[in-house]
Amino acid sequence: MQSNLPYIEELRLSQFRNIESLTLKLSPKPIVFTGLNGAGKTNILEALSFFSPGKGMHGEVYKVLSRQTGDQVFPWAAHLRLNKQGYVNEIGMGLDPESEKDRRIIKIDGSKSVSQKKLTDLINVIWITPSMDRLLTESLGDRRKFLDRCVYGLDAEHADRLSSYEKKLKERIQLLQNDAPDQQWLAQLENDIVILGVSIHEARQNYLHVLVPYIKKDTLFPAPICHLTGKFEDFYAQYGRDQAIAFYKAQLKTLRPVDKEVGGSRIGPHRVDLKVAEARNQRPASFSSTGELKGLLIAFVLAHCRLLVYKGKAPIVLLDEVVAHLDPLRREVLCQEILALNLQAWMTGTEKQFFDAFSQKAQYFNMHDGKILEEEKV
């Protein structure tokens, strides 16, 4: 199977969770890991999720990922060879053993990288895990993170923009909590926050706008429709960019006493919510069953993949135990969609039969206790 899309041709893990050492040589085909619970299947996908900005698919601090034997802790490392139309990039990362802080080191083609943009320029990673089954109705913060991971794929500067915005918010609160804050510095900080905040909102809004044509309405999965809502976002939608900027600045100034008291900013893109409904009947996600919510999430991720493939930024897709809760027809549709997109999807499941729709068009690995028992032939 040949592919013009990015794919991982080799993955090496060392001391990651229950995996002491592992090397996988791979083709562009979808990859399926099977085995009992606790075999280490999810750990492989989690390691790959760290090749995206942030704390990976489970939001863990980096230090807890290292394998432990008794009192001994072995710092973890991960390395992959990414093939993009025949050109190979080497990307490595691991726990920084020399830092007292919870830090990872990232190297791209042998050179240290400090910019998240450099990482997202090379590789896009998106995932679905069992813990995300109620993502669209419960944790507002997790929905924002999910949306931002999707935006990274379209806008490589989005991660650095978010990081700068969060730092500016913290600086503002620290300054407000001084007895006599420097008013000129405070005004400049708030101006910076507004500029970054508007850019973050517009990147998210642009992503949702360009996603729409890639959402299918003729499959067994429900079709999601999405919009952003929040104090600033609603004002922007009603009155436009210029008035929204003025409103944002005025609100930051007005809310200084409140923000000082609560230790956080009451307005801005860090408080936005992503609202999702089903397109066919306009029913909000909050009224959907667990199965329908899973379907909406899968449909969203598939649309995201179609968009990025069209833009020449195809993602690596991580689907952890995603087929176990689908009926046979929807499993088949999901496998067919992945094959049609020609993506390298990494999938896990306890039973190989869940992936029968792939037939010989996937790579199968059976795992036990952090080791590959065999590469299964079909």
Side-chain angles (χ1 to χ4, degrees), residues 167-185:
K167 288 177 183 176
K168 295 288 185 183
L169 288 180
K170 289 178 183 177
E171 284 184 52
R172 176 175 175 267
I173 294 304
Q174 289 171 355
L175 191 57
L176 284 174
Q177 290 174 341
N178 291 341
D179 291 335
D182 185 316
Q183 295 299 309
Q184 187 174 354
W185 183 11

Side-chain angles (χ1 to χ4, degrees), residues 16 26 48 57 80 82 117 122-123 128 137 158 163 213 219 240 245 249 251 258 262 278 285-286 290 313 378:
F16 189 92
L26 304 158
L48 286 174
M57 63 166 55
L80 61 80
L82 182 72
K117 180 180 181 297
L122 283 179
I123 184 170
I128 297 177
T137 59
H158 190 62
S163 179
T219 74
I245 288 173
K249 287 181 180 179
Q251 283 290 296
V258 177
V262 300
E278 207 286 317
S286 56
T290 301
K313 300 181 177 183
V378 293

Side-chain angles (χ1 to χ4, degrees), residues 200-220:
I200 289 166
H201 168 66
E202 290 174 342
R204 290 169 173 167
Q205 192 64 55
N206 177 63
Y207 170 80
L208 292 177
H209 174 72
V210 299
L211 183 70
V212 171
Y214 299 92
I215 298 172
K216 287 188 176 182
K217 297 183 180 179
D218 58 351
T219 74
L220 291 177

